Amino acid sequence: MRRVLNHKLGQFVILLLLAFLLFQFGIPWLSSAITGTAAPIPAHLLWTIYMPLVVLALLLFISANEQWWSEFKQPLLNLIVEQTPSGLVRLRRVLLVAVPLIAGGVAYLLIRPDISAPPELRSIHPAPPSSVSVGAETIDLRTAVNPYRGADGAPETGALAEGRAVYGQNCVICHGDSLEGDGLFATSFRPRPADFTDFGTIAQLQESYLFWRIATGGPGLPADGKGWNSAMPVWDETLSADEIWKVILYLYDATDQLPRAVGE
Amino acid sequence: MTKRRRVRAYLAIALVLVASFALAGPAGAQGSGPPDYRQYGELDSRIVIWVVSQLHLLFAAFVLGVPIFALITEYVGYRTQREQYDKLAHDFTKLLGAAFSTTAALGGLLALSLFALYPTFMSHMTDVFGDTYLWYGLLFFVEAFAMYFYLYSWKRLVGDKKKWHLLAGVLLNVSGVAVMLIANSWVTFMMSPPLAEVEAETGRVLTSGIVPLTAEWTGTVWEAINNPLWTPLNIHRFIGNITFGGFIVAGYAAVRFLNTKHEGLRSYYDWMGYIGSFIGVAAMIPMPFAGYFMGREIYSYSPVMGNNMMGGTFSWTFIIQAMLVGALFIGANFYLWSGMSRIPGAQRYSKYIKWLDVILIVCFAVWLTPHNLPLSPSEQAIIGGQFHPTLKFLGLMAAKNAVINFIIIATFGSFLIYRRANKGERLPVSQQGTGSKVIVGVGFGIAALALGWYAAVLFGLEPGDLDLSPDKGVFFTLPAYLLVGQILAGLVAVVLTFRDRGVQGQVLYLGAVVVNSVLILGPYGFVVMTQANPFLRNIAVAQWLITMSALVFVTAIDIVLLRGASEIGSIKWGKMTGRSQYALLLLLVGAVMLMSLMGYIRSGLREDWHIFGVLRDVSEGAFTPTMAEMSRVVASIVVVFMLLIAFVFWLAGLAESEGEEQVPSLTAVRPEPSIQPEPRAASGQD
């Protein structure tokens, strides 16, 4: 065992294994400790980014030193090409059969017809149009600002209360009391309704962007936003432009976040 | 006429013929009135312009980057009286001739194609920028004459006249950069045209600029040139050209190294690769910040364009960009680590490599993690949505800013251990002259001034300046105090250095950088994102300044620390692994891929606008291509460019083979020769 631990190839394999275990069990544990949800790393992320990076790190480290690199390669060369003891030759023959079979099997599994939907490249914040119409009013999304915010960015108190009421009457059933996307209907939808307390949602966006998303809903999303895969209703027929601006005010205030400034 | 000139003449004729043929097609296709768009036969006009302009840009980067590289190395040779630097500069200036002709031919083809295929759009551009075409042409003449004078006067302007030769190099670079600045104004105007204010009721134009509905330009040429994205792009491209110039040299050296068995030449090309990669990496270090500045200005000009870039369709291209940037940094570090194998005494520092490796890879993993994951429906079901509850934080700007600073510090760490790999006993700073103290003092002064200035800015910043309510001012103080803390750490490092404990000083300062810039301001960025979002940009600037201050100040200490130090042995130039040379090739190909990808992103962000928000593109090619199509076109451009560059190098090689290639001595001045060059090998494999 000590011989394996001291050998560069042995260290390579052991570290690879440790990294895999860390990703497989460590991340869910960490996730659970931080957020209360023990979410595993998605297989795509693990096998296309994290594990290849670990392999790269180990190979870089070993191959930067000629002596280590030779030590690392030697057992592999012995197995594949060198004159070696008969035991290794038998293993070589087994591998000569097994490796193509495994490669063929993996290739088959990858290309065989599958009924599951492919991974989605869905843009969470797809490109908005230049303007959007609500009733008779056309809002220029490139320059629009919330009319219910003062010069210092503070919301108007009355408008905020009205926004809260609009939220309670229209949005709470999906986005939830806490605005975490956990309303009564939330589990019925995939993707789930947006969690407004998440740093990556409304804090990343200007208010005019939210205006567009609320006004036109899922059907208003461009192709890369996969509008067909969103349950968000179109609100411009139900709410006035003023009501939309007010509910936006409430979203930021209730989550203690600020919208992205126009000049940022 | 020499063989080389004949080949060049044939090349020029061929390119002119191609351009003429290309023009003949559309001319015949014209109808009675001038159309908005034309085509070359069945070719997609958008792809024609895309490919030609990107190839032109890549060659332009070559003919701008290599002269900067040549001037720097020639100046180093002049100051240190080391002949090999002068030869290196001359060798690369020789490559410019063929590359210059190709750049001009591609530029001509691009201009002709734009006027032929997009006449209405070009008519608008000419209305605005017509005057600049004349300046562009005249400056191009200056650049061409300066380039040929610089090349052909190399052997004449020597000795006391060398400074005049250097002056010609300066003129070449200044005129080249000026040409670039003009071209940059055209493309940035298309992205961020200064808009005129128009009275809604009467339609009266109130301020100068471009009128949104009519696309009429009412401003001056200077106002058009000095559009919001002009300065960020100028900075980005200027630094990028230096990086590219260095990587071209390194890639060329790697190919020549791998193709020769001659020891003297291997030494020379090994050294050349080191110099090229050093200049390339040194210029690459501030690149992420130049990119951040550019991105920020894009957001400032148009939140819509900004959202497209970082949150919309183009966000996927930034995943590819992140992979390429990471690959460049990893390649550069690997090259330095491999280089330590040819330095006697380097094994003392090998133990640090594994930690640098771990830092780089962990940071790279964070750098690559997207906020919004490409997931299958079953994976979405498992993690409860499209965001991973924990890893999603790694996808946000605050995390990216922290890790890119750490990657730069780790790369700097690799450079520091490389520099001291063969140094033995050091000359204590206290026994050195005042010059050493001045170097450390100036290094600290520059760092302290930059940090102090920004701390003062933050202390004086009013929340209202960022459209924040007064209670948000509380978020400004922590970064300001950290900047002050960094200055104090620098002061202690100066004292330690003067007391012959410079290494502790370096460790203290770098440690403070990691704590302040990465470990504190990184997580703090998340708080600021939600509580005082507009202030996040100031956090990024503070992080950048802290990191940059380390590069300046710690290098100053390092120069003094290693001054007069004994050498355990000389660097064994030429004793390098083949793997390390492939790392240099990776740097070159990675840079070309990155430039081609970013060229697409910058231009593609306009989506279906010729001039963003003003002049709409209504041609068939106005759509944003799919990721697959983009990848195919960009990859094709990279392959064609690499083939053309190989052709240019081959042309230059023809001239070399006409005469005896001189093997430069790498030890012209150094007291201890490492490898004595040997006569050229009879086999002539190089």
Side-chain angles (χ1 to χ4, degrees):
Chain A
M1 187 63 189
R2 178 168 288 183
R3 210 168 130 235
V4 173
L5 283 176
N6 285 332
H7 196 279
K8 286 289 169 265
L9 183 60
Q11 291 170 353
F12 175 84
V13 173
I14 289 167
L15 285 172
L16 213 54
L17 203 62
L18 283 176
F20 173 74
L21 294 173
L22 184 71
F23 287 129
Q24 197 66 16
F25 301 106
I27 296 288
W29 176 81
L30 195 68
S31 192
S32 174
I34 295 174
T35 63
T37 313
I41 291 189
H44 276 99
L45 204 58
L46 182 64
W47 294 111
T48 58
I49 295 185
Y50 294 149
M51 286 310 288
L53 273 178
V54 176
V55 173
L56 176 70
L58 293 171
L59 288 179
L60 283 176
F61 177 61
I62 294 167
S63 65
N65 182 307
E66 193 57 38
Q67 193 187 334
W68 294 346
W69 184 238
S70 301
E71 184 185 319
F72 173 80
K73 281 189 308 185
Q74 201 53 52
L76 300 172
L77 291 175
N78 287 344
L79 182 63
I80 301 166
V81 288
E82 303 287 346
Q83 293 291 331
T84 48
S86 57
L88 273 185
V89 172
R90 269 196 290 280
L91 182 59
R92 180 187 297 169
R93 286 176 186 153
V94 170
L95 285 177
L96 277 173
V97 177
V99 169
L101 280 177
I102 293 170
V106 170
Y108 169 73
L109 291 175
L110 286 175
I111 62 169
R112 71 173 176 169
D114 190 357
I115 55 162
S116 64
E120 286 176 10
L121 284 181
R122 178 169 183 257
S123 291
I124 296 296
H125 307 309
S130 311
S131 62
V132 60
S133 296
V134 179
E137 204 175 341
T138 300
I139 312 282
D140 185 343
L141 294 173
R142 292 171 300 179
T143 53
V145 290
N146 197 325
Y148 296 102
R149 250 180 224 287
D152 61 352
E156 286 178 18
T157 319
L160 192 60
E162 288 175 46
R164 181 188 166 93
V166 171
Y167 184 86
Q169 288 160 12
N170 302 282
C171 318
V172 73
I173 200 79
C174 296
H175 290 283
D177 287 335
S178 58
L179 290 84
E180 290 176 3
D182 56 355
L184 285 173
F185 287 180
T187 49
S188 309
F189 301 126
R190 191 181 298 156
R192 290 163 65 106
D195 170 3
F196 299 128
T197 61
D198 185 330
F199 292 172
T201 58
I202 59 174
Q204 295 288 308
L205 302 165
Q206 287 92 7
E207 288 182 293
S208 62
Y209 191 96
L210 265 71
F211 187 95
W212 166 60
R213 291 292 289 110
I214 294 169
T216 63
L221 283 167
D224 59 319
K226 309 262 191 297
W228 51 267
N229 199 11
S230 166
M232 178 79 174
V234 177
W235 289 103
D236 64 356
E237 291 162 1
T238 315
L239 299 176
S240 67
D242 279 346
E243 285 173 320
I244 296 177
W245 284 123
K246 286 169 186 169
V247 80
I248 291 170
L249 216 54
Y250 171 70
L251 294 184
Y252 283 104
D253 189 72
T255 54
D256 198 18
Q257 294 182 344
L258 282 178
R260 188 172 207 133
V262 172
E264 194 188 351
Chain B
M1 190 182 263
T2 64
K3 198 173 172 184
R4 181 185 175 198
R5 285 187 182 167
R6 269 203 309 276
V7 171
R8 216 185 281 167
Y10 288 143
L11 176 68
I13 291 168
L15 286 168
V16 169
L17 282 175
V18 169
S20 311
F21 171 74
L23 276 177
Q30 281 190 36
S32 53
D36 284 340
Y37 303 103
R38 297 193 189 97
Q39 270 182 282
Y40 290 149
E42 292 300 312
L43 291 178
D44 182 329
S45 296
R46 189 254 297 268
I47 292 184
V48 170
I49 295 296
W50 183 354
V51 172
V52 174
S53 58
Q54 190 59 57
L55 286 173
H56 173 62
L57 273 170
L58 289 166
F59 268 99
F62 181 102
V63 297
L64 288 170
V66 169
I68 297 172
F69 176 86
L71 186 64
I72 294 170
T73 44
E74 188 193 8
Y75 180 73
V76 172
Y78 172 65
R79 292 289 297 178
T80 60
Q81 293 297 308
R82 287 184 182 173
E83 192 194 338
Q84 70 262 32
Y85 283 96
D86 197 70
K87 175 171 164 50
L88 175 60
H90 192 194
D91 282 352
F92 274 91
T93 308
K94 285 183 209 163
L95 291 176
L96 278 179
F100 205 78
S101 313
T102 317
T103 313
L106 283 165
L109 183 59
L110 174 62
L112 294 171
S113 299
L114 279 169
F115 278 102
L117 305 179
Y118 293 89
T120 307
F121 158 64
M122 285 310 287
S123 165
H124 275 282
M125 288 297 280
T126 307
D127 285 345
V128 181
F129 283 105
D131 289 352
T132 63
Y133 297 171
L134 178 66
W135 308 340
Y136 186 86
L138 292 175
L139 279 165
F140 188 74
F141 273 119
V142 176
E143 187 190 7
F145 292 142
M147 196 276 287
Y148 285 111
F149 180 77
Y150 185 62
L151 174 61
Y152 293 131
S153 64
W154 206 288
K155 295 280 166 66
R156 286 173 183 259
L157 297 178
V158 290
D160 291 343
K161 295 178 188 165
K162 190 68 175 172
K163 52 183 175 294
W164 294 108
H165 190 259
L166 286 165
L167 196 63
V170 172
L171 181 65
L172 163 62
N173 277 294
V174 169
S175 53
V177 170
V179 165
M180 180 192 78
L181 298 187
I182 292 178
N184 285 354
S185 71
W186 305 333
V187 293
T188 50
F189 180 84
M190 290 164 67
M191 293 178 77
S192 60
L195 297 175
E197 259 184 63
V198 181
E199 203 170 55
E201 293 77 21
T202 61
R204 197 161 59 90
V205 178
L206 300 174
T207 58
S208 60
I210 196 160
V211 181
L213 286 177
T214 61
E216 181 198 356
W217 175 251
T218 61
T220 62
V221 178
W222 171 244
E223 284 170 340
I225 291 173
N226 191 25
N227 64 75
L229 291 182
W230 187 53
T231 302
L233 187 69
N234 290 340
I235 293 170
H236 204 41
R237 280 193 171 164
F238 179 69
I239 302 173
N241 287 339
I242 302 175
T243 304
F244 191 54
F247 287 166
I248 284 266
V249 172
Y252 174 77
V255 172
R256 300 297 295 255
F257 179 94
L258 290 167
N259 279 295
T260 183
K261 288 192 167 64
H262 185 286
E263 278 205 20
L265 286 173
R266 280 172 80 91
S267 309
Y268 177 57
Y269 291 126
D270 182 14
W271 172 80
M272 182 192 281
Y274 171 70
I275 298 293
S277 68
F278 176 76
I279 290 182
V281 172
M284 186 173 77
I285 282 175
M287 282 287 278
F289 305 109
Y292 181 82
F293 176 42
M294 174 101 184
R296 205 185 88 180
E297 292 304 306
I298 288 174
Y299 261 111
S300 295
Y301 179 78
S302 165
V304 172
M305 204 192 279
N307 271 334
N308 289 355
M309 181 172 67
M310 299 310 294
T313 315
F314 290 86
S315 62
W316 300 110
T317 58
F318 276 88
I319 304 288
I320 306 174
Q321 184 235 20
M323 292 175 90
L324 289 170
V325 170
L328 290 185
F329 274 102
I330 286 176
N333 277 280
F334 178 71
Y335 176 75
L336 285 173
W337 300 340
S338 299
M340 288 173 70
S341 63
R342 55 161 141 68
I343 306 179
Q347 57 276 21
R348 294 170 299 161
Y349 297 98
S350 304
K351 60 187 176 218
Y352 298 115
I353 290 178
K354 61 176 170 290
W355 300 114
L356 292 169
D357 190 23
V358 168
I359 292 170
L360 276 174
I361 295 295
V362 170
C363 289
F364 192 19
V366 174
W367 180 246
L368 275 183
T369 303
H371 181 239
N372 163 28
L373 302 168
L375 298 175
S376 67
S378 56
E379 286 172 334
Q380 278 193 27
I382 293 170
I383 66 170
Q386 201 155 350
F387 302 108
H388 190 279
T390 314
L391 299 175
K392 69 183 179 187
F393 297 109
L394 306 183
L396 298 178
M397 209 60 212
K400 308 294 185 200
N401 283 343
V403 294
I404 193 64
N405 279 285
F406 213 179
I407 287 175
I408 288 169
I409 291 294
T411 306
F412 184 55
S414 293
F415 173 67
L416 287 179
I417 61 171
Y418 181 91
R419 254 177 68 78
R420 65 197 57 219
N422 70 334
K423 301 296 179 192
E425 200 176 331
R426 299 193 187 107
L427 184 62
V429 178
S430 57
Q431 291 175 26
Q432 296 182 24
T434 50
S436 297
K437 295 184 174 64
V438 169
I439 290 172
V440 174
V442 168
F444 173 67
I446 293 170
L449 270 177
L451 297 173
W453 161 74
Y454 204 63
V457 167
L458 294 185
F459 278 125
L461 192 64
E462 292 293 333
D465 298 342
L466 301 175
D467 293 331
L468 288 167
S469 56
D471 60 313
K472 301 292 182 187
V474 69
F475 291 100
F476 303 173
T477 46
L478 177 69
Y481 281 121
L482 291 180
L483 288 165
V484 174
Q486 193 65 45
I487 296 173
L488 293 176
L491 207 57
V492 177
V494 170
V495 174
L496 286 170
T497 306
F498 288 168
R499 293 188 175 185
D500 298 332
R501 291 162 65 192
V503 175
Q504 283 97 321
Q506 286 181 315
V507 171
L508 172 79
Y509 197 79
L510 284 172
V513 168
V514 172
V515 169
N516 289 336
S517 179
V518 182
L519 301 180
I520 297 180
L521 288 180
Y524 191 63
F526 289 106
V527 180
V528 169
M529 270 175 72
T530 57
Q531 300 294 316
N533 203 325
F535 186 61
L536 188 64
R537 70 175 85 159
N538 302 73
I539 299 274
V541 174
Q543 287 173 302
W544 179 70
L545 280 174
I546 290 172
T547 303
M548 285 295 125
S549 76
L551 268 50
V552 173
F553 177 47
V554 174
T555 303
I557 297 178
D558 215 51
I559 290 169
V560 171
L561 274 182
L562 302 182
R563 220 178 192 190
S566 66
E567 286 189 1
I568 290 172
S570 295
I571 298 174
K572 294 174 184 162
W573 293 112
K575 302 291 179 196
M576 232 357 204
T577 60
R579 293 187 298 282
S580 64
Q581 303 304 303
Y582 287 106
L584 292 182
L585 284 171
L586 170 79
L587 292 181
L588 173 58
V589 179
V592 175
M593 290 169 84
L594 198 51
M595 290 165 77
S596 304
L597 176 73
M598 300 313 285
Y600 161 73
I601 296 174
R602 189 199 53 70
S603 187
L605 282 177
R606 285 182 285 109
E607 297 200 297
D608 58 340
W609 296 95
H610 289 307
I611 299 173
F612 188 73
V614 177
L615 186 65
R616 195 177 280 278
D617 182 352
V618 291
S619 67
E620 287 177 6
F623 62 93
T624 298
T626 60
M627 290 289 284
E629 187 187 352
M630 181 279 289
S631 306
R632 277 194 291 272
V633 176
V634 168
S636 306
I637 290 169
V638 171
V639 170
V640 171
F641 177 72
M642 294 310 298
L643 288 173
L644 284 172
I645 277 289
F647 180 63
V648 167
F649 285 165
W650 175 74
L651 281 181
L654 286 181
E656 289 291 337
S657 59
E658 283 171 8
E660 273 300 308
E661 186 175 354
Q662 296 293 314
V663 181
S665 166
L666 300 185
T667 54
V669 169
R670 290 185 178 186
E672 296 169 17
S674 52
I675 297 169
Q676 288 298 337
E678 292 170 13
R680 189 183 168 82
S683 59
Q685 287 190 41
D686 53 304

